[in-house]
Amino acid sequence: MTQRPYIIVNVAQSLNGYISGKAGRRVVISSPEDMVRVHELRSEVDAILIGSGTVIADDPRLLVDQNVVQSAIPPVRVILDRSMRAKPSSRVFDSSARTIVYTGGNRVDSRKCEIRTRDDQGLQIHNILQELHDDGIGKLLVEGGKTVITQFIEERAIDEFYLYIGDVIIEEGGLKLFTPGFEIRNIIKTVRPFGMGVLISLDPYHLQRLWKTQVKDT
Ligand SMILES: NC(=O)c1ccc[n+]([C@@H]2O[C@H](COP(=O)([O-])OP(=O)(O)OC[C@H]3O[C@@H](n4cnc5c(N)ncnc54)[C@H](OP(=O)(O)O)[C@@H]3O)[C@@H](O)[C@H]2O)c1
């Protein structure tokens, strides 16, 4: 049986359901209060994982803000980048934290990270998670984007799921994680006001079951 880290997914969406702007345009959805929560969450995990689409669109550093939490060892940064699309100059490849890239390509360049070249089988989420578990990653935070989160939902590899609804409305044409008609109200565990937005915790078990139905129906 596959062993895996404990997995937390965190995603922010606009009032009208978008997690990104049109053509991947980066938009700030989280309120300052929510950013503090995200940095606290980061400080509690062993690793943070994102896909190359998020590296390209947002260029995050994926570090813990030391003004929020004084943490000695930053979480490992894990990047899924099948075809090495993320630029070596991306901020996630600075040397501030250990960084692992899972890829299908074997380009050698200047990025400061550990490149793990795997075949299609090796890039399946359950195999990556088994490896991370074997590396001592006990808790993993998944910060997106849509393609990556979808794989975690389909793999049924989520223990906690946080959805922050920010006080912004984004132009049509961006990415939505949940499609119209998705019966999200049936899987909400808790809802609480947070800054100028709302923090929702979803039941991961029922999310994964409902997701399957949604995919089947479309
Ligand atoms: N609101 C939020 O909370 C939030 C959070 C994060 C991101 N975002 C937004 O989401 C958008 C990005 O989402 P996205 O769906 O386009 O991209 P993504 O999920 O960040 O990354 C997808 C890419 O990652 C690679 N990948 C995925 N699974 C892999 C695997 N198992 N092994 C190896 N590589 C794998 C693939 O690269 P290849 O194409 O090379 O195959 C794939 O195209 C951005 O616009 C960003 O702003 C929003």
Side-chain angles (χ1 to χ4, degrees):
M1 200 181 95
T2 311
Q3 290 178 300
R4 62 165 176 85
Y6 185 88
I7 294 165
I8 302 168
V9 173
N10 187 71
V11 64
Q13 77 172 42
S14 66
L15 279 175
N16 57 338
Y18 285 105
I19 67 162
S20 79
K22 198 174 177 179
R25 184 179 71 84
R26 181 171 184 268
V27 259
V28 178
I29 299 172
S30 283
S31 63
E33 293 85 351
D34 190 52
M35 283 316 299
V36 169
R37 181 188 63 85
V38 171
H39 283 280
E40 286 171 348
L41 209 47
R42 286 180 181 177
S43 74
E44 291 162 9
V45 298
D46 302 305
I48 306 169
L49 181 148
I50 58 171
S52 55
T54 301
V55 177
I56 294 162
D58 299 349
D59 198 15
R61 289 185 79 202
L62 296 187
L63 298 173
V64 177
D65 184 340
Q66 296 296 304
N67 295 318
V68 175
V69 189
Q70 299 275 323
S71 66
I73 306 171
V76 176
R77 301 178 289 197
V78 181
I79 313 300
L80 305 188
D81 191 0
R82 191 183 311 276
S83 39
M84 288 285 232
R85 287 192 300 130
K87 283 195 213 139
S89 58
S90 305
R91 301 197 311 160
V92 82
F93 301 126
D94 65 15
S95 43
S96 344
R98 181 179 172 204
T99 306
I100 301 171
V101 174
Y102 277 93
T103 184
N106 51 10
R107 200 167 71 204
V108 176
D109 57 35
S110 60
R111 66 193 75 200
K112 299 181 188 79
C113 63
E114 188 181 319
I115 295 177
R116 298 186 174 178
T117 303
R118 302 287 180 265
D119 59 15
D120 279 351
Q121 179 74 14
L123 289 180
Q124 285 181 16
I125 288 296
H126 61 270
N127 289 324
I128 291 173
L129 291 177
Q130 175 77 62
E131 272 193 38
L132 293 175
H133 172 272
D134 295 346
D135 281 347
I137 304 293
K139 220 175 196 186
L140 176 72
L141 175 63
V142 178
E143 288 201 33
K146 177 176 175 158
T147 312
V148 164
I149 294 174
T150 298
Q151 288 176 58
F152 276 80
I153 297 173
E154 288 174 352
E155 192 66 39
R156 297 183 170 230
I158 303 175
D159 299 292
E160 292 177 43
F161 195 114
Y162 295 102
L163 175 66
Y164 181 79
I165 315 281
D167 60 339
V168 287
I169 294 176
I170 298 178
E171 78 274 18
E172 301 294 313
L175 285 176
K176 280 186 174 178
L177 187 58
F178 301 108
T179 53
F182 186 76
E183 296 285 352
I184 199 161
R185 62 157 70 97
N186 294 341
I187 58 167
I188 291 177
K189 275 170 75 178
T190 58
V191 182
R192 66 178 163 124
F194 210 89
M196 291 304 285
V198 174
L199 182 63
I200 296 178
S201 152
L202 298 179
D203 179 327
Y205 175 72
H206 287 107
L207 164 66
Q208 290 152 0
R209 285 188 55 189
L210 192 60
W211 191 270
K212 225 173 145 191
T213 321
Q214 172 188 247
V215 170
K216 223 189 304 173
D217 288 350
T218 50

